[in-house]
Amino acid sequence: MRLFNTLTATLAALGGAIAAAAMNTPAKPPAVPLAVRSPYLNAWLEGGGTNCVLPGQWPRFWTGQILGWQGLIRVDGKTYSWMGGAGGFDHAKQISLHYTSTKSEFVFDIDGKVHLTVTFLSPVYPDDLARQSQQFSYISLEVGCSDTQERNVQVYMDVSGEWASGNDSHVIKWEQGVAGGNNGDVTYLKFNREDQQEFEEQHEIASWGNWYFSTNSDGGMTWEIGQDSVVRDQFKNRAGLGNNLDTDFRAVNDRWPVFAFSHNLTVQKWKSVEKVFTLGIVQDHVINFAGHTQALTPIPGLWSSYWTDERDAVTAFYNDYQYATRASEALDKRIQSDSERAAGQDYATITTLALRQAFGGLQFAGTPSKPYIFLKEISSNSDIQTVDVIFPAYPILHYLNATLSRFLLDPLFENQESGAYPNKYAEHDLGTFPVAKGYPDGKDEPMPLEECGNMIIMTLAYAQRTGDTQYLRDHYPKLEQWAEFLVEDSLVPASQLSTDDFAGTLANQTNLAIKGIIGLKAMGEIAKLTKREDKWSKTAYDYLQTWKTYAINRDANPPHTTLSYGDNNSHGSPPCPSSDQQNHADSPTGILYNLYADKLLGLNFIDQEIYDMQSNFYPAIALEYAVPLDTRHTWTKSDWEMFAAAVASNSTRDMFIQKLAHWIGNSSTNRPMTDLFDARTGGFPEGGPTFVARPVVGGMFALLALRH
Ligand SMILES: *[C@@H]1O[C@H](CO)[C@@H](O)[C@H](O)[C@H]1NC(C)=O
Ligand SMILES: *[C@@H]1O[C@H](CO)[C@@H](O)[C@H](O)[C@H]1NC(C)=O
Ligand SMILES: *[C@@H]1O[C@H](CO)[C@@H](O)[C@H](O)[C@H]1NC(C)=O
Ligand SMILES: *[C@@H]1O[C@H](CO)[C@@H](O)[C@H](O)[C@H]1NC(C)=O
Ligand SMILES: *[C@@H]1O[C@H](CO)[C@@H](O)[C@H](O)[C@H]1NC(C)=O
Ligand SMILES: *[C@@H]1O[C@H](CO)[C@@H](O)[C@H](O)[C@H]1NC(C)=O
Ligand SMILES: *[C@@H]1O[C@H](CO)[C@@H](O)[C@H](O)[C@H]1NC(C)=O
């Protein structure tokens, strides 16, 4: 027992008065992160029409697939649902939703008698590989009295087999067990696909590994594994569960087996009772990777170096709750105050929603002496280690712990330095998650200039931030090879894709060219840092002067860079005009977000005049929710908005941020935060791809990465 959080108590007391509209702070997000720690533990409450209300709908995997997850509370003989879509229960009245960087906290008022605070905690440990390597999340239920009466209250939670299989007709197995812990025993309910298929997925859900749902085994705890409706009715009718295990192993959708816990609590005035649950997956091997040896090699989950077995890992995570709470509160505070200081509460509204999503795209693998981080390009096409997805996500790593970026770059260097990739430009990705086999045939999605620039820029950023210049020496031959490609291609870029590949190929892309030119300047720095001859800076400088004559439309009002070279002659219509676009630009143009690397690397290479010109220009083309990415559509990318904001004048920076915060609270999208939306409507791009839950939201930290 501990003293009840006064804010929560006050909110509950006010509950009656504000019942009509649940309070969402700092905003109503498009979707609420519930358990988001890795590509496979990635569960959300979709927002939209239901206004982020927890009971009455099922939580969903990032794909939108339902994840059975039901919460009940029983007060004075009456049972209410506080989470999940099971029928037959009244819904607990949701008073508020609050999110921080690591937590989503829902407060409910139960009939004016008790209040329930449900906290979904997905910690992020940027400085602690052991703790970050676990694919588990916490759920805390805290119950307090709203009146003076002491009461017995029972709480309940179950999960279904849907977590463990992307195909509901697959058979799952299960067991119950008890493991010792330092705060008393932990009871776990384990379930897994009978037919384990390592490194395979169905509908993005892993076809291998074991799921564990756990809680404290103290006196008032009961558990049950059985058919969903039977188990829930048992709780409703008997105020507890029977500690029974249905031994009829069967398909996920065959009389839906659920894994359930109940706690019997005594609540008193001003004292709350808290019960903690954990949920997650354990996998021995997590990635199949072709590194130095060119042969596909199973890479262990990093967790397995720190704990002797699964049970050990499960109980260690469970018993770490106090530490997790303290560490998460510290990180929440740090991100909140750094964001406020950088650009106010609107900016904090953005960054605090992005942290769990960004880390939810990462899989920690390998061993403590050779750790790897593999990234899943969630929702766009599940590529693994996509360079132009790591690049937009990079600022969060630079801000929190730049060493982590090395663990993401290493697999790319290893694969290419093994000689397994034939092209002279940098590889786009390593395959499809979780198999990083590379492209010995050289047939990856080609983004030559983009990825050469990205690799050089990120490698230098890492070395500058950590002081690890040896890393530059170790990889100098590859970096030099990519720089030579930039010499050939960056000033007059061939027709090619940029990272914004939904927009198609284009020659002479102004923004792509400046990335390549900054990349060359960065290579000059790398040469200097490693005491080699700088063959690059002079070329970069010359290219920049020529780029300025190609790329700027000085006759426009206000002047700005163009989308591609020579667009200053085309005073006519842009290639794909949108009839109702309030675009004051008189020629095709776009956000010059690649300027960001100049500031990130502290190069002071690009003329201040260019920054000032763009800062002056963006407000003239801004729409309701953002500045459009370019004149081909009214679409935009929130990661690039924040890159542009980070290097803009204060007033233009604040415009970008205010619009994006406004989008978060008002967007009609109801999926895990998209980075691609229509700047005019705030919805998904009509006729465009639906991006959700992508780790690129690490780019929301673009301002914070510059503040050191
Ligand atoms: C960053 O992470 C590495 C690897 O876990 C760790 O050794 C280091 O202490 C961390 N750096 C900081 C500044 O915390
Ligand atoms: C799901 O599994 C069943 C049984 O193994 C199989 O018949 C069916 O084709 C699978 N469905 C999908 C979509 O893979
Ligand atoms: C819950 O605990 C109280 C107090 O210990 C006890 O009287 C009651 O019978 C318990 N209820 C159930 C359903 O176990
Ligand atoms: C690209 O720009 C260069 C320099 O202005 C020009 O010579 C070339 O024709 C352009 N290429 C295309 C395909 O427009
Ligand atoms: C673009 O306009 C500037 C003058 O504003 C001119 O100097 C330059 O040559 C023009 N570029 C092209 C490619 O026409
Ligand atoms: C711009 O904003 C930053 C951070 O809010 C502040 O420190 C700085 O003084 C501002 N600069 C100007 C010129 O107002
Ligand atoms: C919509 O945006 C406005 C201003 O940006 C904000 O005050 C409001 O709370 C938002 N609406 C919702 C439902 O979040």
Side-chain angles (χ1 to χ4, degrees):
M1 301 251 248
R2 60 194 170 102
L3 271 184
F4 195 69
N5 172 325
T6 14
L7 172 65
T8 307
T10 312
L11 284 173
L14 287 170
I18 53 168
M23 286 191 346
N24 302 311
T25 51
K28 184 197 86 65
V32 187
L34 298 180
V36 179
R37 288 265 289 161
S38 74
Y40 297 134
L41 183 62
N42 212 286
W44 301 78
L45 175 74
E46 292 189 351
T50 58
N51 205 26
C52 294
V53 174
L54 195 54
Q57 58 176 328
W58 292 113
R60 288 168 191 271
F61 192 50
W62 65 258
T63 54
Q65 180 191 300
I66 286 173
L67 295 170
W69 198 0
Q70 181 64 42
L72 302 171
I73 183 166
R74 194 170 182 279
V75 180
D76 286 351
K78 182 148 191 226
T79 304
Y80 303 82
S81 165
W82 50 264
M83 170 167 67
F89 304 100
D90 284 352
H91 296 171
K93 186 166 68 190
Q94 186 169 316
I95 304 297
S96 65
L97 158 65
H98 178 66
Y99 71 78
T100 67
S101 292
T102 60
K103 292 190 281 279
S104 301
E105 184 184 89
F106 297 81
V107 178
F108 299 92
D109 166 56
I110 315 293
D111 240 2
K113 292 173 177 165
V114 301
H115 37 264
L116 166 68
T117 303
V118 183
T119 305
F120 296 88
L121 169 63
S122 291
V124 171
Y125 298 110
D127 303 335
D128 187 335
L129 287 179
R131 286 188 165 92
Q132 187 60 34
S133 70
Q134 298 244 46
Q135 299 188 68
F136 295 113
S137 193
Y138 297 100
I139 308 97
S140 145
L141 307 184
E142 197 172 344
V143 186
C145 262
S146 298
D147 57 20
T148 54
Q149 206 181 320
E150 178 177 308
R151 281 193 177 80
N152 285 128
V153 171
Q154 292 82 35
V155 291
Y156 168 100
M157 197 176 356
D158 73 44
V159 293
S160 77
E162 285 156 300
W163 293 77
S165 175
N167 180 338
D168 287 346
S169 32
H170 273 273
V171 172
I172 51 168
K173 292 166 51 177
W174 51 78
E175 66 186 65
Q176 175 265 353
V178 181
N182 49 15
N183 300 315
D185 288 343
V186 175
T187 296
Y188 61 81
L189 306 177
K190 170 186 171 183
F191 56 103
N192 55 273
R193 264 175 63 125
E194 182 175 50
D195 172 27
Q196 293 273 304
Q197 301 283 344
E198 198 171 64
F199 307 131
E200 287 191 16
E201 296 178 346
Q202 267 189 311
H203 301 128
E204 311 283 342
I205 289 183
S207 297
W208 82 107
N210 299 322
W211 285 82
Y212 283 86
F213 182 40
S214 312
T215 196
N216 189 282
S217 317
D218 61 13
M221 189 280 292
T222 52
W223 59 273
E224 185 102 26
I225 301 176
Q227 183 175 356
D228 56 351
S229 53
V230 174
V231 174
R232 290 167 194 155
D233 280 351
Q234 148 101 2
F235 172 77
K236 181 179 173 179
N237 298 331
R238 299 204 216 137
L241 300 170
N243 298 336
N244 290 321
L245 185 145
D246 171 345
T247 53
D248 180 13
F249 298 144
R250 56 186 185 268
V252 171
N253 63 8
D254 178 2
R255 290 160 291 137
W256 303 89
V258 296
F259 310 91
F261 286 117
S262 161
H263 282 282
N264 180 21
L265 315 172
T266 303
V267 295
Q268 295 164 300
K269 189 172 167 60
W270 301 122
K271 290 261 180 94
S272 67
V273 191
E274 182 179 28
K275 288 293 164 190
V276 176
F277 302 77
T278 60
L279 176 63
I281 179 174
V282 192
Q283 296 165 306
D284 289 339
H285 294 127
V286 289
I287 300 286
N288 213 359
F289 171 48
H292 285 309
T293 65
Q294 300 193 359
L296 271 177
T297 309
I299 307 294
L302 184 55
W303 71 271
S304 62
S305 293
Y306 297 101
W307 290 282
T308 52
D309 58 24
E310 294 189 358
R311 276 166 42 121
D312 189 21
V314 167
T315 48
F317 187 84
Y318 189 91
N319 288 316
D320 203 35
Y321 180 64
Q322 295 307 331
Y323 179 92
T325 306
R326 278 199 312 277
S328 298
E329 263 161 26
L331 184 59
D332 286 353
K333 273 204 188 115
R334 176 181 164 197
I335 292 173
Q336 176 71 30
S337 62
D338 286 355
S339 301
E340 275 183 46
R341 213 171 317 125
Q345 174 56 45
D346 276 349
Y347 186 48
T349 299
I350 297 166
T351 52
T352 54
L353 187 59
L355 179 78
R356 282 170 285 176
Q357 177 169 329
F359 276 79
L362 306 180
Q363 178 64 265
F364 284 65
T367 61
S369 58
K370 188 65 194 149
Y372 295 106
I373 303 175
F374 289 94
L375 170 144
K376 183 171 188 176
E377 190 186 336
I378 289 180
S379 85
S380 20
N381 61 1
S382 294
D383 280 352
I384 186 166
Q385 228 64 3
T386 315
V387 176
D388 59 292
V389 172
I390 300 175
F391 182 78
Y394 180 81
I396 199 173
L397 304 172
H398 197 79
Y399 165 65
L400 289 175
N401 184 348
T403 299
L404 300 181
S405 60
R406 188 180 85 222
F407 306 147
L408 278 149
L409 294 173
D410 276 349
L412 290 156
F413 278 116
E414 276 189 38
N415 179 268
Q416 291 171 82
E417 286 165 354
S418 77
Y421 182 67
N423 299 325
K424 60 186 175 177
Y425 50 80
E427 205 169 14
H428 171 268
D429 64 88
L430 291 179
T432 302
F433 197 93
V435 180
K437 63 177 192 290
Y439 294 90
D441 61 0
K443 291 186 178 157
D444 49 335
E445 183 181 9
M447 289 186 194
L449 183 45
E450 185 84 61
E451 311 306 22
C452 288
N454 287 344
M455 287 302 291
I456 293 172
I457 290 164
M458 288 192 287
T459 306
L460 176 59
Y462 157 74
Q464 285 180 333
R465 190 58 184 267
T466 60
D468 183 3
T469 45
Q470 184 58 40
Y471 197 69
L472 302 175
R473 270 180 225 109
D474 291 347
H475 301 295
Y476 200 85
K478 270 292 158 210
L479 294 165
E480 189 168 45
Q481 175 192 324
W482 296 329
E484 275 157 13
F485 184 83
L486 293 182
V487 173
E488 283 171 35
D489 197 50
S490 65
L491 181 58
V492 182
S495 178
Q496 62 193 291
L497 292 174
S498 81
T499 180
D500 305 309
D501 53 4
F502 47 81
T505 58
L506 187 66
N508 282 342
Q509 296 181 61
T510 301
N511 184 47
L512 194 53
I514 202 66
K515 168 172 283 176
I517 296 169
I518 293 171
L520 274 178
K521 177 67 184 168
M523 191 63 203
E525 289 300 303
I526 292 174
K528 281 184 229 159
L529 282 170
T530 56
K531 310 219 171 358
R532 287 171 164 88
E533 186 198 349
D534 175 4
K535 296 183 283 184
W536 321 99
S537 292
K538 171 76 168 59
T539 309
Y541 178 81
D542 292 345
Y543 281 9
L544 177 60
Q545 306 320 311
T546 311
W547 177 89
K548 283 190 274 182
T549 69
Y550 290 164
I552 301 173
N553 184 349
R554 293 186 195 277
D555 298 333
N557 182 24
H560 55 81
T561 56
T562 56
L563 181 61
S564 62
Y565 295 165
D567 279 345
N568 58 346
N569 290 332
S570 51
H571 282 259
S573 51
C576 294
S578 166
S579 55
D580 55 353
Q581 186 175 351
Q582 308 151 17
N583 192 339
H584 302 301
D586 54 357
S587 56
T589 183
I591 302 179
L592 195 70
Y593 58 80
N594 279 324
L595 287 181
Y596 179 73
D598 180 44
K599 294 286 187 204
L600 180 73
L601 300 172
L603 299 174
N604 293 319
F605 170 57
I606 306 290
D607 311 67
Q608 185 59 36
E609 176 217 17
I610 308 278
Y611 289 104
D612 292 344
M613 178 180 69
Q614 293 302 103
S615 288
N616 188 42
F617 171 58
Y618 296 137
I621 54 167
L623 301 179
E624 175 75 8
Y625 293 102
V627 175
L629 185 59
D630 64 51
T631 38
R632 289 174 285 186
H633 299 279
T634 52
W635 305 352
T636 201
K637 294 273 286 98
S638 51
D639 44 358
W640 303 141
E641 298 278 308
M642 290 301 102
F643 272 51
V647 301
S649 66
N650 279 8
S651 64
T652 297
R653 174 198 71 197
D654 291 345
M655 174 209 66
F656 274 112
I657 287 168
Q658 181 271 325
K659 285 185 180 290
L660 189 57
H662 174 56
W663 175 82
I664 286 178
N666 291 273
S667 172
S668 59
T669 66
N670 67 342
R671 305 282 309 283
M673 179 161 55
T674 185
D675 52 294
L676 175 65
F677 61 86
D678 189 311
R680 187 173 45 81
T681 66
F684 284 113
E686 216 172 295
T690 301
F691 290 170
V692 298
R694 300 203 322 151
V696 299
V697 298
M700 303 299 162
F701 287 74
L703 281 72
L704 298 183
L706 298 186
R707 288 174 63 85
H708 288 271

